[in-house]
Amino acid sequence: MPELMRVTVCQLDNRPGHRTEAIAALADHARAAGADLVLLPEMPFSTWLGADPEPDAARWLHSVDEHRRVLAGLAFEDAAVIGSMPTAEPNGSWLNQAFVWNEASGAAAIRAKHYLPDEPGYWEATWYDRAEASQATCRVGRARVGVSICTEMWFLHTASRYAKLGVDLLCVPRVTPEETLAKWLAGGQATAVCSGAYCLSSNQWVPEQPGIAAGGLGWAIDPDGNVLATTSPGEPFVTVEVDLDLARQAKRTYPRYVAGLER
């Protein structure tokens, strides 16, 4: 019998005044769809700080608090939730930390973002620190899950390493602009092929708000690069059923089996 799992991706309306309603609607969708895993965008619970070229400690710490507050009140019941959040570490560093949440245990860290852009709209290296390289994974049910946070998706040697680690799902929480969505979707297909895993991605969606470059488009792509589903303004949440056995078999096929891939 195939080992099936239901996964939900989204484009989450992150405008002030819309965010709370959007999160509640996503939770309702996930419950109705019987989702086992919900993927959130990158840093989804406050205004995107990277749009501002001037870092501000008070705003960063407010965002940290907002993410903690929203996580403490999530109501996704049986579904696990993956995303990323800002943190203020005891050593004084600020990080963009991937997490996995479930109702029983709350949020647990997976790994933090290593590859940081620094350009208009995405002043991330200006705002926070580069984490040590890590390919830590987590378990969601019987699935092994890896996370590449936004820009990290483009470093395809990491996808090949995740193939060697046997991930079934490779999650990509994002904040990316509308004008580059076709490029990002193509990158998601390449990531799926290189990792031999389902590539899942969710993006923030901030329409009609100058200075916040977040254009939506979540996706689910199978291990051979076939696009299974995408989100849209009319359908901001989608749930698909994936076959974990298909991802495991993919590791034995081209190009994943080729000797010399980075470990």
Side-chain angles (χ1 to χ4, degrees):
M1 293 290 291
E3 192 163 352
L4 304 177
M5 185 174 186
R6 296 184 67 79
V7 298
T8 297
V9 296
C10 67
Q11 57 181 70
L12 194 69
D13 190 339
N14 200 32
R15 292 174 292 177
H18 295 255
R19 186 182 304 125
T20 299
E21 181 181 351
I23 294 166
L26 174 59
D28 289 343
H29 168 93
R31 283 192 294 272
D36 301 296
L37 171 66
V38 176
L39 178 61
L40 295 171
E42 184 176 17
M43 293 190 184
F45 300 146
S46 69
T47 299
W48 175 243
L49 298 175
D52 192 332
E54 297 295 330
D56 182 285
R59 290 179 63 200
W60 182 267
L61 295 176
H62 175 73
S63 182
V64 170
D65 288 342
E66 279 297 283
H67 280 76
R68 289 173 177 166
R69 180 187 65 80
V70 176
L71 280 168
L74 285 185
F76 281 82
E77 297 179 0
D78 295 332
V81 176
I82 285 178
S84 86
M85 62 185 292
T87 66
E89 301 298 309
N91 65 2
S93 64
W94 297 353
L95 298 175
N96 183 348
Q97 177 76 63
F99 66 84
V100 57
W101 173 97
N102 63 56
E103 191 172 54
S105 304
I110 306 171
R111 52 170 300 274
K113 193 170 183 178
H114 177 68
Y115 293 108
L116 308 183
D118 213 36
E119 61 180 63
Y122 304 94
W123 298 108
E124 296 180 53
T126 296
W127 267 92
Y128 59 90
D129 297 294
R130 184 186 191 194
E132 294 294 324
S134 168
Q135 299 212 239
T137 64
C138 69
R139 285 281 185 180
V140 174
R142 293 180 60 83
R144 183 176 292 279
V145 182
V147 182
S148 288
I149 304 172
C150 200
T151 292
E152 296 182 318
M153 184 191 77
W154 294 107
F155 295 83
L156 290 177
H157 65 281
T158 64
S160 296
R161 289 173 178 166
Y162 276 126
K164 295 301 182 183
L165 291 171
V167 301
D168 304 304
L169 311 174
L170 184 47
C171 294
V172 184
R174 302 171 11 251
V175 179
T176 66
E178 184 173 10
E179 60 267 24
T180 62
L181 292 182
K183 178 174 70 176
W184 280 89
L185 183 61
Q189 292 176 280
T191 295
V193 172
C194 290
S195 64
Y198 290 91
C199 181
L200 311 176
S201 188
S202 293
N203 193 16
Q204 289 194 28
W205 183 54
V206 187
E208 301 174 356
Q209 187 163 328
I212 307 295
L217 185 68
W219 68 64
I221 300 170
D222 78 12
D224 285 320
N226 300 302
V227 178
L228 304 178
T230 58
T231 66
S232 67
E235 191 176 11
F237 320 130
V238 295
T239 297
V240 299
E241 190 169 71
V242 300
D243 184 349
L244 302 183
D245 290 333
L246 183 65
R248 292 159 189 168
Q249 293 163 9
K251 308 299 188 296
R252 299 192 291 271
T253 63
Y254 184 87
R256 281 77 55 153
Y257 73 84
V258 175
L261 290 176
E262 292 196 58
R263 296 176 181 271

